C-alpha cells in the first residue's frame, strides 16, 4: 500500500476534495480556461480560502499561519489541488513563502518569525524580490545598493529593477551590500523593506503580457535593525 493511501490519508483526501468542490463550479476546466481578469479574481478568492485552512504554507507550523502538515498529507494536498487545476496561492507567494518564508524558518530569530510569517501566510504582507540592479542581474556579486548602519537603523541607497510582482507587493526582501570592504561575493545581507516607504520611488514595466516588473529607486530609506 502506498503511504498516502492509508485510511487517515484518504480521510484527509476526502476533506480536500470537498474543499475543491465548494470552491469551483461543476463545469470547472481549470484556471487556464479563465480570462486574465477572471483568473486574478479566482486566484485572490482561492488564496483567501486556502489561507483560512493554513494551506497556503501547509508545512509551516500552525503558530506561523501554516497547517503543520506532514509529508503524507502534503503529498495528498498537492495531488488534489494539481488534479483540479487549483492554484496554490498568489504569484507573489513564490517570493514571500517559497523563497523568503522557508529561508526564515531555517535561519531567523523566533521574534521575526512571529512577526512576519503569520502575516505572509494571511496575505497581509505581500513580498517582492529585490535582487537585480542595473549592473547586477544574475551576477549578485556586482550588487551596488548599500545599506549602512545609523544607530539602530539601516540606511539604504541605490536601485533595484526587474522585481517581478512588485506592483502587487507592500514589502520586499532586498539584498544589499553591508560591508563594502569585503570581497565582492561577501559582505551582502538580506533586509526586509516596506515597499511603501516615502523615500523610494518606482516605475513599472512589462517583460511579457503575463508578467510585470518594477524598478525601485531608494534614497536614504531607513529600516530598523530588527527587520
Amino acid at each position: 500500500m502506498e503511504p498516502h493511501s492509508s485510511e487517515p490519508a484518504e480521510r484527509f483526501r476526502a476533506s480536500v476534495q470537498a474543499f475543491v468542490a465548494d470552491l469551483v463550479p461543476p463545469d470547472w476546466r481549470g484556471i487556464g480556461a479563465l480570462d486574465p481578469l477572471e483568473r486574478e479574481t479566482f486566484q485572490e478568492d482561492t488564496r483567501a480560502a486556502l489561507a483560512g485552512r493554513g494551506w497556503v504554507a501547509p508545512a509551516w507550523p500552525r503558530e506561523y499561519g501554516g497547517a503543520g502538515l506532514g509529508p503524507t498529507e502534503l503529498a495528498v494536498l498537492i495531488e488534489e489541488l494539481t488534479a483540479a487545476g487549483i492554484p496554490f496561492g498568489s504569484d507573489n507567494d513564490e517570493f514571500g513563502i517559497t523563497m523568503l518564508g522557508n529561508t526564515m524558518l531555517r535561519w531567523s530569530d523566533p521574534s521575526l518569525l512571529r512577526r512576519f510569517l503569520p502575516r505572509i501566510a494571511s496575505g497581509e504582507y505581500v513580498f517582492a524580490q529585490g535582487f537585480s540592479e542595473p549592473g547586477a542581474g544574475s551576477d549578485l556579486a556586482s550588487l551596488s545598493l548599500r545599506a549602512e548602519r545609523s544607530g539602530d537603523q539601516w540606511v539604504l541607497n541605490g536601485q533595484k529593477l526587474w522585481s517581478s510582482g512588485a506592483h502587487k507587493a507592500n514589502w520586499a526582501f532586498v539584498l544589499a551590500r553591508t560591508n563594502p570592504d569585503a570581497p565582492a561575493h561577501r559582505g551582502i545581507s538580506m533586509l526586509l523593506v516596506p515597499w511603501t516607504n516615502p523615500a523610494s520611488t518606482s516605475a513599472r514595466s512589462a517583460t511579457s503580457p503575463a508578467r510585470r516588473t518594477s524598478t525601485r529607486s531608494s534614497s536614504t530609506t531607513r529600516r530598523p535593525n530588527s527587520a
Side-chain angles (χ1 to χ4, degrees), residues 10 26 28 42 46-47 58 62 92 96 99 107 115 127 147 155 159 161-162 167 169-170 182 186-187:
E10 291 309 308
W28 174 249
F42 179 79
T46 299
R47 193 201 187 282
R62 292 180 182 273
N92 286 72
M99 297 181 68
W107 297 106
R115 176 183 173 186
F127 272 86
V155 180
Q159 186 181 47
L161 81 170
W162 302 322
H167 61 292
N170 51 25
R186 296 185 180 274

Side-chain angles (χ1 to χ4, degrees), residues 92-114:
N92 286 72
D93 286 330
E94 173 187 351
F95 308 117
I97 291 177
T98 304
M99 297 181 68
L100 175 63
N102 289 337
T103 300
M104 291 183 70
L105 278 171
R106 175 64 178 85
W107 297 106
S108 289
D109 183 87
S111 64
L112 288 177
L113 298 181
R114 290 191 296 269

Side-chain angles (χ1 to χ4, degrees), residues 117-143:
L117 294 195
R119 291 175 173 86
I120 293 172
S122 72
E124 178 183 351
Y125 287 176
V126 181
F127 272 86
Q129 181 191 53
F131 284 10
S132 297
E133 299 178 1
S138 58
D139 177 19
L140 293 177
S142 297
L143 287 175

Side-chain angles (χ1 to χ4, degrees), residues 4 12-13 69-81:
H4 53 281
F12 180 70
R13 186 184 303 277
L69 298 188
T72 298
E73 291 176 314
L74 186 59
V76 169
L77 180 65
I78 292 171
E79 286 176 357
E80 292 301 322
L81 294 184

